[in-house]
Amino acid sequence: MDKLTLKQKRILDFIEKHRVENTYPPTLKEIGDNFGITIGTVQDHIYALQKKGHLERKKDIARGFRVIKSQEEEFFDKNKTDTELIPLYGNVAAGEPIFANDNIQGYITMEKNSKGHNIRFALRIKGDSMIDSGIYDGDIVIVRKQDTAEDGEIVIALLDDEATVKTLRNKNIKAYLEASNSKYKSIINKPFQIIGKVIELRRDYNVI
Amino acid sequence: MDKLTLKQKRILDFIEKHRVENTYPPTLKEIGDNFGITIGTVQDHIYALQKKGHLERKKDIARGFRVIKSQEEEFFDKNKTDTELIPLYGNVAAGEPIFANDNIQGYITMEKNSKGHNIRFALRIKGDSMIDSGIYDGDIVIVRKQDTAEDGEIVIALLDDEATVKTLRNKNIKAYLEASNSKYKSIINKPFQIIGKVIELRRDYNVI
DNA sequence: AGTTTATCCATAGATTAATATGGCATAATA
DNA sequence: TATTATGCCATATTAATCTATGGATAAACT
């Protein structure tokens, strides 16, 4: 990858920019028109770009360019691709399905999970029952779907057909759920089902 | 966006796949060759795809296709491209520079900011002085660099050469910083400099 | 000094690629 | 049933695009 002259760099950038914007690379003429030079001159530049290893080209193929990216650029692209969007669900009233499509309030960008495809989703917290654990009304919790959890972990549980955020206590003896706010009483010995475990919390401060 | 027939869908997919793999879309002939049909037939399919709103095409332009993506697909693409990594700094002792390269603990994936290039960084919280605001030891705050802030906003301030997280109070009269924990006393009438404003909080729950 | 590199131009093919037409058969739809 | 959409072919024409050549100047390099 020899170093490029300013002109060569500009032409290379134009080819890539054109490709991104139009979905196809430019022709020799289009390049020439953009820089106010003739096709013959463009040929010279293309030849130089190829020789220096910054551009590949298919013979006799219209618009047959491929811009070769540097390692840095590849890296930058790579970390751009290793993210995914997970759905953000609003809080649901008792009896209503949580994972309904029309309950999706938006999407949260997250890094892709390396190991396996464990399914995650986000849930907006309603109420202050977890305030003593530093989870406030309006916060968003990222949840990993699973049906078991350890003592002390914060879980999303289905209780009386309603999804709630609680701390799991004494799982193996008589499991109950603890609301992290002293004014709420904890739920003991009620049947519940664990939907997932809270793995992250996000709070947006209103920013204009 | 009318519904496509199987054949039409396959041709559309081929165009997009070809574009991604080669950096440029195929010609009519290349499409025909791939499916074992003639150019005339391809023209028919292209016409149908255009009429149904799945494909755009520039007249008289070689390989001048643009595949129109559904909202879902746009979404999927968006998360691939519109993110960036922001540096996560550890807490620093008094006098040491915060933004030193060897103070970078990692990187946080975030959605790119649409408006302008305001610079953001992340900081890991040390101590419990902001616990009453639900910011705990070990939490990560996302900070937008700026040197002013409004009353009540949580800011990163440089105070006695140390970066601290505080709530800003009475900015215009006698500004002081408030620690959100009753056992800490607020800092009044000391000179300080605002580095940035907290725009988001993230907390990771230890997950194996 | 001689050679290569980088920029330019002009022009004449040769080939690729798009467009225009017309025709045919079958399935879906009004 | 009449009409439209789908899926296919063949061929001629026009336009786009690439390739090849030759020439020129100035700067950088050997």
Side-chain angles (χ1 to χ4, degrees):
Chain A
M1 294 278 264
D2 283 354
K3 218 182 161 194
L4 300 179
T5 66
L6 183 60
K7 193 84 195 205
Q8 289 164 358
K9 172 87 176 116
R10 280 187 179 148
I11 287 174
L12 189 69
D13 287 346
F14 173 74
I15 293 173
E16 182 63 6
K17 178 164 163 270
H18 187 287
R19 188 186 69 81
V20 170
E21 286 174 0
N22 300 283
T23 79
Y24 47 82
T27 62
L28 296 180
K29 180 164 183 304
E30 285 165 353
I31 297 170
D33 287 349
N34 184 263
F35 291 96
I37 55 182
T38 65
I39 293 179
T41 306
V42 176
Q43 288 180 85
D44 292 338
H45 287 300
I46 297 302
Y47 173 74
L49 285 168
Q50 287 181 95
K51 211 180 58 160
K52 291 185 176 178
H54 291 257
L55 186 68
E56 278 178 9
R57 192 175 188 207
K58 284 267 172 67
K59 197 170 143 53
D60 294 323
I61 295 292
R63 305 173 190 276
F65 299 112
R66 160 172 267 138
V67 172
I68 308 298
K69 292 186 179 166
S70 70
Q71 270 195 316
E72 277 174 62
E73 287 167 323
E74 289 282 4
F75 182 78
F76 195 69
D77 277 7
K78 192 173 169 296
N79 76 44
K80 280 185 183 169
T81 58
D82 286 354
T83 61
E84 64 178 327
L85 293 181
I86 63 168
L88 167 63
Y89 294 99
N91 226 283
V92 289
E96 282 173 37
I98 313 162
F99 302 123
N101 269 348
D102 59 0
N103 190 32
I104 294 180
Q105 294 191 341
Y107 291 86
I108 307 280
T109 302
M110 289 201 73
E111 278 180 47
K112 257 187 188 149
N113 203 305
S114 49
K115 25 187 161 91
H117 291 180
N118 62 42
I119 303 141
R120 298 174 296 181
F121 65 94
L123 197 66
R124 190 179 294 280
I125 299 296
K126 192 82 190 160
D128 58 354
S129 72
M130 292 297 284
I131 207 164
D132 290 352
S133 295
I135 301 179
Y136 286 39
D137 185 58
D139 284 359
I140 291 167
V141 288
I142 315 291
V143 184
R144 180 209 280 165
K145 280 191 188 174
Q146 57 186 57
D147 52 15
T148 58
E150 299 301 316
D151 185 70
E153 290 181 339
I154 299 172
V155 297
I156 306 294
L158 205 61
L159 194 85
D160 295 333
D161 274 344
E162 191 169 11
T164 52
V165 186
K166 296 283 184 293
T167 306
L168 187 66
R169 290 297 175 198
N170 299 341
K171 183 197 170 207
N172 294 316
I173 308 153
K174 43 178 182 179
Y176 70 103
L177 300 168
E178 176 184 74
S180 295
N181 185 339
S182 21
K183 79 177 182 193
Y184 286 83
K185 54 171 187 277
S186 296
I187 301 137
I188 308 179
N189 281 339
K190 263 203 177 182
F192 64 88
Q193 182 204 338
I194 293 172
I195 295 175
K197 175 170 119 184
V198 172
I199 58 174
E200 190 184 332
L201 175 116
R202 294 194 185 187
R203 179 183 306 151
D204 274 317
Y205 292 95
N206 257 14
V207 176
I208 314 113
Chain B
M1 294 279 266
D2 284 354
K3 218 180 162 195
L4 299 180
T5 65
L6 182 61
K7 193 84 194 204
Q8 289 165 358
K9 172 89 177 113
R10 280 185 179 151
I11 287 174
L12 190 70
D13 288 345
F14 173 74
I15 294 173
E16 183 63 5
K17 177 164 164 270
H18 187 286
R19 188 186 69 81
V20 170
E21 287 174 358
N22 300 283
T23 78
Y24 47 83
T27 62
L28 296 180
K29 180 163 183 304
E30 286 165 351
I31 297 170
D33 288 349
N34 184 261
F35 291 96
I37 54 183
T38 64
I39 293 179
T41 306
V42 177
Q43 287 180 88
D44 291 339
H45 288 299
I46 297 301
Y47 173 73
L49 286 168
Q50 287 182 96
K51 210 180 58 162
K52 290 184 176 180
H54 291 257
L55 186 67
E56 277 178 9
R57 191 173 188 210
K58 284 266 172 68
K59 196 168 147 54
D60 293 324
I61 296 291
R63 307 175 188 275
F65 299 113
R66 161 172 268 138
V67 171
I68 308 298
K69 293 185 178 169
S70 69
Q71 270 195 316
E72 278 175 61
E73 288 166 323
E74 288 281 2
F75 229 62
F76 193 69
D77 277 8
K78 189 176 169 298
N79 75 41
K80 284 190 179 171
T81 55
D82 286 0
T83 60
E84 64 179 328
L85 295 180
I86 65 168
L88 167 63
Y89 294 99
N91 227 281
V92 289
E96 282 174 37
I98 314 162
F99 303 124
N101 270 346
D102 58 0
N103 190 32
I104 294 180
Q105 294 190 341
Y107 290 88
I108 306 279
T109 302
M110 290 201 73
E111 278 181 46
K112 252 187 193 151
N113 203 305
S114 49
K115 25 183 165 46
H117 290 181
N118 63 42
I119 304 142
R120 299 175 295 182
F121 65 95
L123 197 65
R124 190 179 294 281
I125 298 296
K126 191 82 190 162
D128 59 354
S129 72
M130 292 298 284
I131 207 164
D132 290 352
S133 294
I135 301 179
Y136 286 39
D137 185 59
D139 285 359
I140 291 167
V141 288
I142 314 292
V143 184
R144 180 208 279 165
K145 280 189 189 175
Q146 56 186 57
D147 52 14
T148 58
E150 298 302 314
D151 186 71
E153 290 180 341
I154 298 172
V155 297
I156 306 295
L158 206 61
L159 194 85
D160 295 331
D161 275 345
E162 192 169 9
T164 51
V165 186
K166 295 283 183 293
T167 306
L168 186 67
R169 291 295 175 199
N170 299 339
K171 183 197 172 209
N172 293 317
I173 308 154
K174 40 177 184 177
Y176 69 101
L177 299 168
E178 176 185 74
S180 296
N181 185 340
S182 19
K183 78 178 180 191
Y184 288 83
K185 55 172 186 280
S186 296
I187 300 139
I188 308 179
N189 280 339
K190 263 202 178 182
F192 64 88
Q193 181 203 339
I194 293 172
I195 296 176
K197 176 170 120 183
V198 173
I199 58 174
E200 189 183 333
L201 175 120
R202 295 194 184 186
R203 180 182 306 151
D204 274 317
Y205 292 94
N206 258 12
V207 177
I208 312 112

